[in-house]
Amino acid sequence: MYIFKTVVALQQFLNDRKEEGKKIGFAPTMGALHQGHLSLIRESQKDNQISVCSIFVNPKQFNDPNDYNKYPITTNADIELLESVDCDVLFLPSISEIYPNHIVTKINIDIGHFSKVMEGEFRPGHFQGMMEVVKRLLEIVQPDNLYMGQKDFQQFSIIRLMIQKLSLPYHLVMCPIKREADGLAMSSRNVRLTPEGRENAHYIYDILCQAKSMVRTHTPTQIEEWAMDSLYEHKGFKPEYFRIVDVNTLLPVWDWNDAEDIIACVATWIDDVRLIDNMVLKP
Ligand code: AMP
């Protein structure tokens, strides 16, 4: 695997590959890699001759400095994992490579409520910072295909909107959520759970599954209230939201006929670790 730390070196390599007619697939990450991340690389390998993974912990998207400072960094293990799946390129830039003084990364598009609901309510500024880094990385890599996970469903929706609004020439592919054996969605933050927190964390998935089984007998609002109450009942759990929304607009639904595709999204603290998850409830 080639490892590049500078934009110039990466672009030189990729330009040569593009001239050879090779397609480039790209999966941006913040490292502390797990099988969820690797599934993006595997998906990329199906349709591209060159698969690029980036690892960059983007300070601009952390609204909580404590979360940024505690974000796990496991570069050597990440390199081993990427090599184990034959990833072609790792881009490992410094902050000054991504945000040099002469480059303006601010994005002036109106994405309306997309950045204000759910994660946007509880992590102000997060999506602006996330869009800035993804757009900057896309301009650097200029891939044919971009791979992102359903795990961060709202993030995916916002990047899809950004690509549409700015008419960017990248094809976005959504990859399914990879889970641990007990159903907990894989996340870099899971390693920070206490043993007790880890033991109970599957409860987030259990509630999503139960929510899905309640669709025929309960309204969306009833399920939201039941799910919040159920999460609160668990020791160490402090839920922020459990919302049932239209997959395409992220607007709340009051009735199952309000939208063709409906998804439940949840965020909860378990002790001092904040986890998110989601599940499509309809169809
Ligand atoms: P992160 O490193 O958390 O910023 O995630 C980088 C990419 O990996 C994002 O597109 C995530 O949605 C995706 N991802 C994270 N966890 C999972 C998972 N459990 N399954 C599938 N994709 C994931």
Side-chain angles (χ1 to χ4, degrees):
M1 181 172 70
Y2 294 90
I3 301 177
F4 298 107
K5 295 191 172 179
T6 67
V7 173
V8 170
L10 174 74
Q11 287 187 328
Q12 215 157 36
F13 175 85
L14 290 179
N15 286 343
D16 289 349
R17 302 290 86 72
K18 285 174 195 169
E19 269 178 29
E20 292 165 7
K22 293 190 168 144
K23 273 204 197 166
I24 313 286
F26 178 42
T29 81
M30 297 203 298
L33 300 183
H34 48 66
Q35 290 298 323
H37 295 115
L38 298 188
S39 72
L40 308 187
I41 304 296
R42 290 197 177 95
E43 205 52 42
S44 164
Q45 287 168 333
K46 291 184 191 164
D47 283 320
N48 305 276
Q49 287 74 49
I50 300 287
S51 293
V52 181
C53 176
S54 66
I55 295 180
F56 179 65
V57 184
N58 175 32
K60 286 197 185 189
Q61 74 187 66
F62 285 84
N63 52 312
D64 174 0
N66 202 28
D67 191 24
Y68 177 64
N69 293 330
K70 283 194 191 159
Y71 204 83
I73 309 273
T74 58
T75 311
N76 289 339
D78 290 350
I79 291 172
E80 267 183 40
L81 279 176
L82 289 171
E83 284 182 331
S84 75
V85 293
D86 290 327
C87 181
D88 302 290
V89 175
L90 168 60
F91 182 43
L92 202 56
S94 62
I95 292 183
S96 59
E97 276 298 304
I98 295 297
Y99 300 119
N101 291 334
H102 61 280
I103 284 200
V104 179
T105 55
K106 194 127 191 73
I107 297 176
N108 290 314
I109 51 167
D110 182 13
I111 55 166
H113 69 280
F114 272 77
S115 65
K116 298 197 183 92
V117 296
M118 300 194 289
E119 290 299 281
E121 256 175 74
F122 291 92
R123 302 186 69 190
H126 165 66
F127 286 124
Q128 183 63 34
M130 182 279 291
M131 279 196 294
E132 283 183 42
V133 79
V134 173
K135 178 156 176 288
R136 171 83 177 118
L137 286 166
L138 284 169
E139 279 163 1
I140 292 169
V141 177
Q142 298 186 23
D144 296 278
N145 298 301
L146 169 65
Y147 296 84
M148 300 186 83
Q150 183 192 324
K151 162 76 173 28
D152 299 272
F153 178 71
Q154 192 171 1
Q155 166 176 288
F156 179 90
S157 305
I158 288 174
I159 293 301
R160 185 175 54 194
L161 200 59
M162 180 183 85
I163 287 176
Q164 277 167 10
K165 291 217 170 207
L166 297 175
S167 306
L168 302 177
Y170 312 112
H171 177 237
L172 177 61
V173 180
M174 181 156 83
C175 303
I177 302 174
K178 285 275 167 196
R179 298 183 179 280
E180 302 288 356
D182 65 356
L184 173 65
M186 291 182 181
S187 164
S188 305
R189 290 185 172 86
N190 291 350
V191 294
R192 290 184 39 223
L193 291 165
T194 60
E196 196 189 5
R198 174 64 193 85
E199 211 170 287
N200 295 332
H202 66 87
Y203 199 61
I204 305 170
Y205 177 66
D206 297 350
I207 290 224
L208 286 165
C209 293
Q210 283 188 55
K212 189 162 182 152
S213 73
M214 289 162 76
V215 164
R216 267 194 256 137
T217 48
H218 295 72
T219 66
T221 310
Q222 284 170 335
I223 295 179
E224 286 176 350
E225 286 171 6
W226 165 83
M228 285 298 277
D229 290 347
S230 308
L231 286 164
Y232 266 121
E233 274 167 20
H234 270 68
K235 194 167 154 257
F237 280 59
K238 265 190 248 108
E240 285 187 341
Y241 64 81
F242 186 102
R243 300 272 161 75
I244 298 180
V245 299
D246 182 332
V247 163
N248 295 305
T249 64
L250 303 192
L251 288 170
V253 293
W254 314 107
D255 186 281
W256 299 111
N257 293 319
D258 283 352
E260 294 270 301
D261 304 298
I262 295 177
I263 190 165
C265 300
V266 54
T268 185
W269 290 87
I270 301 181
D271 302 323
D272 66 342
V273 184
R274 187 177 184 280
L275 299 179
I276 60 171
D277 200 349
N278 63 74
M279 186 176 285
V280 173
L281 303 185
K282 182 191 161 192

